[in-house]
Amino acid sequence: MIQALRGMKDIIPPDNERFVHIIETASAVARRYGYDYIETPLLEETALFKRSVGESSDIVGKEMYQFIDKGGHDVCLRPEGTAGVVRMFIQNKLDKKGGLHRFFYHGPMFRYERPQKGRLREFHQFGCESFGEGSVYEDFTLILMIKDIFDALGIGYRILVNSLGCPECMPGYRERLVAHLNDIKDGLCEDCRRRIATNPIRVLDCKVDSCQALLANAPVLTDNLCETCDADFATLVRLLEKHGLPFELDPKLVRGLDYYTRTAFEFVSSEIGAQSAIAGGGRYNRLVEFLGGKPTPAVGFALGVERIMELVKMPEKGREGIYLGVMEPRALETILEIAHRKRQREKVVVEYNKKSLKAHLKAADRVGAKLCAIVGEDEMKAGQIWVKDLESKEERRVAIDEF
């Protein structure tokens, strides 16, 4: 028997309803914030992610599904959403149009890593990207959007925030950080020792406990911000406090992707084990320019659908729709006509096989129908249909033309 690949999972009942509920809820909130839906390809040039996510990142170095296609092109399945949206933004010359552009998207992403609870090799994200607005108020508005999504889904959370600075304040911080890392180099893991030369700020993101212990006295990013970055971060903190959001300052939050600048944030939950991040994002003002577009401020986020599946509180589902069945086979074409007419407005399930009334009622109950409507021999002769409301238990016979 052929089975799904390790780390790939079918989405089937009852999880399918939870999955759709998450996407529909998040999409409705995004639309209320003025975001438009887009789609980008699952397959992109590998160079896109090497240049944006960063060659020193674990995603590019270890986790991408990368291969040479039949045309000799180096391609990969997308490991994250932002880079593809930025590529789309530039390719369609939206950077040259100016103004504000706000998009949301959802779909599968792929990373070759060890599968665990809430983390698969094929996973799904919902994301939003905002282009053309440099104000920190936009950063805060995106955080509010995630709050609204999680509140609507009944998910508890805490928010971690940090500032990653800008090209003006980062060089001085990098110098101080490298000096500290060289002092503790012998105790760091192999990946961290390699990153000292390639991308030292990524060391702060290391998940190895022994490394984190050594980093306890590392220089703090927010103590080394330029005047503008410091003012923006102070504004963000003030807004979070003013609106009563549950947040913490996390000086080691760097998000693991090279393109972030200034604001970085994560929503975390203590209910999903060690991998506690359920959404995250931040500002990436230089990425559009870095990928060949016109300099454009940008900020975005993504939430992991599988990460929050078990946390979602589904709304109570009442009975809905109609179950149609026959006790007289000649009536089947009649109920098919009824089904087509009724499906213009509501859900209809049709049973094609002749069954007893008791069997039809049991089947209608299994599919959660509100009405069970049956045509038997007597009803067919009279041009009627027998209808039972499975909530109120009321029974009646009505003319087929009037049902």
Side-chain angles (χ1 to χ4, degrees):
M1 180 180 69
I2 298 175
Q3 298 187 348
L5 297 172
R6 185 168 184 249
M8 312 286 182
K9 185 178 180 181
D10 301 310
I11 301 173
I12 61 174
D15 287 344
N16 60 330
E17 291 192 9
R18 195 175 298 270
F19 182 92
V20 171
H21 177 59
I22 292 169
I23 297 299
E24 289 182 345
T25 300
S27 298
V29 173
R31 287 191 177 96
R32 292 201 295 270
Y33 275 75
Y35 282 67
D36 295 317
Y37 178 70
I38 59 165
E39 282 199 26
T40 60
L42 272 66
L43 198 66
E44 298 271 11
E45 286 192 33
T46 301
L48 172 65
F49 300 103
K50 286 186 175 180
R51 293 176 62 187
S52 57
V53 176
E55 294 200 48
S56 65
S57 69
D58 285 345
I59 292 175
V60 171
K62 302 177 181 179
E63 299 171 359
M64 288 201 302
Y65 278 86
Q66 178 183 357
F67 59 95
I68 305 298
D69 70 7
K70 292 182 178 180
H73 306 102
D74 188 349
V75 298
C76 69
L77 294 171
R78 62 185 184 192
E80 60 94 44
T82 300
V85 176
V86 174
R87 190 268 312 144
M88 175 280 299
F89 183 75
I90 298 168
Q91 183 174 334
N92 289 278
K93 297 182 172 55
L94 300 179
D95 57 322
K96 294 179 172 58
K97 287 186 177 180
L100 301 179
H101 304 270
R102 297 184 173 106
F103 306 112
F104 76 92
Y105 57 91
H106 51 80
M109 311 291 165
F110 302 84
R111 297 182 192 175
Y112 193 89
E113 55 185 341
R114 185 172 63 86
Q116 52 189 296
K117 184 178 179 181
R119 185 185 287 271
L120 300 170
R121 289 176 175 174
E122 179 187 13
F123 57 98
H124 296 78
Q125 287 187 342
F126 175 92
C128 290
E129 313 293 346
S130 170
F131 298 94
E133 178 56 77
S135 171
V136 70
Y137 286 92
E138 186 80 343
D139 308 17
F140 174 68
T141 299
L142 281 178
I143 292 174
L144 278 183
M145 190 196 302
I146 305 172
K147 171 194 179 298
D148 287 352
I149 292 170
F150 286 159
D151 286 350
L153 294 172
I155 296 175
Y157 54 83
R158 292 179 298 112
I159 307 169
L160 308 179
V161 294
N162 194 20
S163 176
L164 304 184
C166 69
E168 181 178 333
C169 47
M170 184 51 68
Y173 173 73
R174 178 188 175 107
E175 185 177 326
R176 284 186 283 275
L177 178 62
V178 168
H180 177 78
L181 295 177
N182 281 326
D183 287 342
I184 61 173
K185 183 176 181 178
D186 292 343
L188 296 175
C189 69
E190 182 180 346
D191 281 342
C192 285
R193 292 197 296 270
R194 172 177 52 81
R195 286 171 180 153
I196 293 175
T198 58
N199 193 351
I201 196 172
R202 289 289 323 287
V203 175
L204 299 175
D205 192 45
C206 182
K207 300 299 187 289
V208 177
D209 290 341
S210 58
C211 289
Q212 283 299 319
L214 290 171
L215 291 167
N217 297 317
V220 176
L221 271 161
T222 48
D223 290 341
N224 294 269
L225 299 178
C226 67
E227 185 176 347
T228 302
C229 291
D230 189 51
D232 273 358
F233 192 58
T235 298
L236 178 65
V237 169
R238 178 177 58 79
L239 290 168
L240 292 168
E241 291 174 340
K242 181 178 179 180
H243 286 77
L245 273 64
F247 78 97
E248 300 171 20
L249 303 181
D250 184 353
K252 293 188 175 67
L253 176 64
V254 299
R255 295 289 303 135
L257 302 172
D258 286 0
Y259 51 66
Y260 284 114
T261 56
R262 296 195 177 181
T263 303
F265 57 83
E266 280 187 355
F267 281 63
V268 298
S269 168
S270 59
E271 299 179 37
I272 60 171
Q275 300 294 340
S276 62
I278 54 178
R283 183 160 284 280
Y284 50 95
N285 286 348
R286 303 179 68 198
L287 184 54
V288 175
E289 180 182 8
F290 190 61
L291 291 177
K294 181 180 177 182
T296 307
V299 60
F301 76 84
L303 64 85
V305 177
E306 283 82 3
R307 288 284 187 92
I308 65 174
M309 288 275 280
E310 295 182 14
L311 306 180
V312 172
K313 294 177 175 60
M314 293 290 287
E316 288 190 17
K317 186 178 180 181
R319 293 183 174 275
E320 63 171 341
I322 304 169
Y323 171 96
L324 285 172
V326 297
M327 296 170 63
E328 167 53 61
R330 291 177 299 164
L332 180 57
E333 292 188 14
T334 298
I335 68 166
L336 287 175
E337 293 175 5
I338 296 172
H340 181 68
R341 171 163 45 87
K342 289 289 188 179
R343 281 172 176 150
Q344 310 308 308
R345 299 185 301 276
E346 57 190 317
K347 176 182 176 182
V348 178
V349 175
V350 176
E351 172 56 60
Y352 302 130
N353 298 307
K354 172 186 174 181
K355 290 185 176 183
S356 68
L357 179 59
K358 183 177 180 181
H360 278 309
L361 286 168
K362 284 185 176 180
D365 189 56
R366 280 196 301 270
V367 300
K370 185 178 188 301
L371 300 179
C372 177
I374 307 297
V375 177
E377 185 176 356
D378 292 344
E379 287 81 15
M380 188 173 179
K381 289 178 180 178
Q384 295 179 327
I385 188 167
W386 178 86
V387 182
K388 181 172 183 177
D389 188 315
L390 298 181
E391 288 182 338
S392 68
K393 309 304 180 184
E394 177 188 354
E395 300 178 18
R396 68 187 192 278
R397 280 182 171 83
V398 298
I400 286 175
D401 292 342
E402 296 176 4
F403 179 67

